[in-house]
Every structure is written in C-alpha cells, then in structure tokens.
Amino acid sequence: MGGEVWGGVARRVVFMMNHPGFSPGDDWSLQAEAAAADVHQRFGHRLAGLPGTWIGSLIPPTSGSSRLRTLQPPWSQWHYWWQAHYVDAVVDAGFAQLRHANRRAARLELQRAEQLLRGILFRNFGRFPNYFYDDMAWLALAAGRLNDLSLRLLVKPSPLATFASTTLTRQLHGAHDDVLGGGLHWSRKRDYKNAPVNGPAALHFARTGETERAAAIINWLRRELFDPATGLYLDGIHPSASGRDVETTIYTYNQGPVLAALLELGGVPRLRDAAALIEAIRSQLYAPDQGLRLECGGDGSLFTGILCRYLALAAQDPRLPSDSRETASSMVRDTAAAIRDTEPWQLSGALQRWMIFAAAATL
C-alpha cells in the first residue's frame, strides 16, 4: 500500500474533476480523497523503513523523495497529537469507503490506521503513555474509532487499538482528581487543568460507557470554563495563591469535543446546551461565506479541522433542532469552500484540510 496506490487515487480524482458535468468543490468526497492522497504522498512514510509501520513527517522533504522520509531517524521531531489526528482522518476515510460500499478500500484504510498506530507506539519508545494528557485523550479517541471500524469490517476489535485504548484510559483516570473542584490535568506536571484535555477525555469516557465520569467532567467545564458572555469555553485554569487563575483565550478546537460529548451524553438539558453552543460558534467564530475562524501555524493549523469534525456530527443528529443542524452544516461547508485552494506546507494544515473536506462530505 505504497505511494503508487495513493498516486492512483490522486489521478482518479483529477480525472473525475475534469469530467464534463462535474462541479468543482461540490463533491467533497473527491476533495477529501485528493487531500488524503496529498497527506500520504507528501508527509507519510514507514517509520525508519520498518515494515508494518507508518508515520507523518512534520514537513515534506524539499527533494520530494519518499526514500528520504523513510530514512529519517526515528527520533526526528514529531508531534504525538498530530499523529493521533492522522489516525482519526484515516479512520474517516475507512468509514467513507464503507458508505460507498467499497469494503476492499475500507480494509486498506483500516490497515493504514493500524500501521500508523504501530508507528506511534514505536516512535514513542514502545509505549502509548505520554507527558501530556491531552495528547493521550486524542489518541484514545482515535483508537476507539479504529476499533469501531475494525468491528464493522472484520466483526472483531483491533488488538493494537484495544491495547492503546485500555492503556490510555487508565492514564486519563489518573489525571482526574478533585483539585480545582474536578477535571483532568493537562500534563504530568499537574499545574493546569484545561479544555484541550477535558473535552476529548469527556467524549472518550462517554463513548466507552463511563457516563458518570464524562458527565462530571462536562459539568466541571460548564462550571469553571464556560463564558456566559460569548457562550463558548475558555482555555483553562491554573491553581494559584488566590485560588485559581483563568486563561481566557477562546480557541476553536476547544468547542468541538465539548459539543460532541454533550451529544454523546444526550438528554434534553445536554441537547439544549449543544444547540446553544452551535449558535455561539456561529455568532463568535464564523463569518458568512468565509467559514470558521482559522488559527494558522503549527498546532493551530489543526484547530478548525477538529471543530468541523464535531460540527458535522451535530449536523446529522436528528435530536437537535433543524435550524441548529443546518447552522452546523453551513459552517462546515463554508469552511471547506474557503480552504479548497490551499496547499498547506505542514502536516497539521494538510490534515486539517483533509478533515474539513471529510466532514463536509458527510453532509
């Protein structure tokens, strides 16, 4: 499943886009396939040439040589959480192939996702735990979805994804305590509790059946980090001599996992909060015909893609009011249109483009 396969995908997408009657930008499935091919070709490679592994380089080699990527030392710079979203994006592609009734292609995506998860394990020195709990929460979510894809295709879980999910869940349990009234710590330093870990952790716990823990975290986020003036969630809290110092920055990605956790937990109050959050996102983070606010550069180049992933889930949830679903859908589609002609130079931005197109393709 090397570069020639994904080169074939890219050629097929270009052919279809040039076919009479095709409207550029209207078929987000094709845009997502092209973005996926771009990520795999420009950034993806085996980890140090090891069979059965895959990993993403932060930037593509200037020569464009896949051999140079393969021969990069396994300890070259990387970002754990970017790789977690790479797994999630590959799983998206697998489910997309299932929607198109192409089980063979879905199996190839499952294989790629497992290779990537193995690459993360090897690159992280043979273990999934990491210094940052938000990194682990993102990978726990991705591993859980990888398991879901394996169950759909093979009627059995992925052993590696199961191991990752079990290991990381145990780590997240250890990050959750009563300091500052609840919530999870951001890192092993245990001096900051924030939305980037608590949102995805709440969603992970809700998806794995720990609904009481998930609800406690969502309640903590609402109590400590919800900003009534904007209707959005602030970044985090440092314990201090005065009790707590709040980081008031509002980031796009912090809203997405909270929205998804509210939907996963369900019930009238949670769904009402979800609808209100969608409206706050529209009011504060979106411009008509321009899409959602983009937070460019490094980590920020993933933020809006994460929000779009979860807005797309909301757009398809029949429990929400129709106007909330349409608002969520419009924000994703407008954002996809706004970034259609971009060519990101970092893995984070390339993944974001893929994630946004994939989200739009589900609507």
Side-chain angles (χ1 to χ4, degrees):
M1 196 166 51
E4 69 278 1
V5 174
W6 300 109
V9 172
R11 288 191 294 273
R12 180 170 67 85
V13 171
V14 170
F15 171 79
M16 293 185 70
M17 287 180 175
N18 290 329
H19 193 274
F22 180 81
S23 177
D26 287 344
D27 191 336
W28 294 116
S29 294
L30 290 182
Q31 297 283 356
E33 285 193 50
D38 175 66
V39 169
H40 297 318
Q41 287 179 327
R42 286 202 293 144
F43 301 91
H45 59 94
R46 287 179 175 179
L47 179 66
L50 291 172
T53 68
W54 196 253
I55 204 76
S57 296
L58 299 192
I59 58 174
T62 54
S63 71
S65 167
S66 60
R67 179 171 172 78
L68 284 180
R69 286 177 297 195
T70 298
L71 295 179
Q72 285 180 351
W75 54 87
S76 58
Q77 187 183 12
W78 77 312
H79 292 305
Y80 181 113
W81 82 288
W82 294 14
Q83 309 296 328
H85 287 287
Y86 194 176
V87 176
D88 238 351
V90 175
V91 172
D92 282 340
F95 279 115
Q97 294 296 348
L98 277 180
R99 288 197 302 273
H100 300 147
N102 191 338
R103 295 184 68 85
R104 180 180 178 277
R107 282 174 180 261
L108 291 176
E109 302 294 355
L110 175 63
Q111 181 183 348
R112 174 77 77 189
E114 290 182 325
Q115 290 174 346
L116 183 50
L117 190 59
R118 189 175 298 112
I120 294 170
L121 176 65
F122 289 0
R123 175 58 185 80
N124 204 47
F125 305 105
R127 60 199 305 269
F128 284 118
N130 191 35
Y131 184 77
F132 295 100
Y133 290 111
D134 61 333
D135 286 6
M136 291 187 271
W138 293 120
L139 190 57
L141 283 171
R145 295 188 66 236
L146 200 167
N147 249 339
D148 291 342
L149 181 60
S150 183
L151 287 167
R152 285 280 303 277
L153 279 169
L154 308 178
V155 200
K156 62 180 180 180
S158 161
L160 184 60
T162 300
F163 173 63
S165 181
T166 301
T167 301
L168 295 171
T169 299
R170 188 162 53 245
Q171 293 290 319
L172 295 174
H173 285 164
H176 190 198
D177 63 22
D178 293 331
V179 174
L180 295 173
L184 279 73
H185 293 276
W186 176 52
S187 74
R188 296 192 186 280
K189 192 175 180 181
R190 305 179 81 87
D191 65 343
Y192 189 43
K193 291 191 169 183
N194 63 5
V197 61
N198 280 280
L203 178 56
H204 173 66
F205 290 136
R207 285 179 173 174
T208 54
E210 294 191 63
T211 53
E212 288 187 11
R213 189 186 296 268
I217 294 169
I218 285 296
N219 291 342
W220 180 85
L221 282 163
R222 182 80 179 191
R223 186 171 64 249
E224 299 292 343
L225 292 178
F226 181 73
D227 176 28
T230 61
L232 299 173
Y233 288 83
L234 307 176
D235 195 55
I237 309 173
H238 298 275
S240 67
S242 62
R244 60 198 65 201
D245 291 331
V246 178
E247 294 280 354
T248 60
T249 310
I250 291 174
Y251 293 111
T252 50
Y253 79 136
N254 284 339
Q255 319 310 315
V258 174
L259 173 61
L262 290 168
L263 296 176
E264 193 71 34
L265 288 169
V268 172
R270 304 285 190 205
L271 295 174
R272 185 170 55 241
D273 288 346
L277 182 54
I278 291 169
E279 177 57 27
I281 292 167
R282 184 205 62 77
S283 173
Q284 303 292 324
L285 301 175
Y286 165 81
D289 301 322
Q290 297 180 35
L292 291 156
R293 186 180 81 194
L294 297 173
E295 318 220 29
C296 300
D299 287 345
S301 291
L302 266 174
F303 289 2
T304 306
I306 294 168
L307 176 54
C308 283
R309 172 186 299 284
Y310 297 119
L311 282 171
L313 288 181
Q316 300 167 80
D317 194 318
R319 300 170 300 170
L320 290 174
S322 58
D323 58 342
S324 297
R325 300 198 304 272
E326 180 53 37
T327 296
S329 181
S330 295
M331 289 192 287
V332 173
R333 291 196 304 265
D334 286 352
T335 307
I339 66 163
R340 182 174 54 216
D341 297 324
T342 61
E343 187 175 345
W345 63 276
Q346 275 189 312
L347 177 62
S348 56
L351 286 172
Q352 172 169 268
R353 181 177 61 171
W354 177 8
M355 290 160 61
I356 291 172
F357 292 162
T362 65
L363 303 175

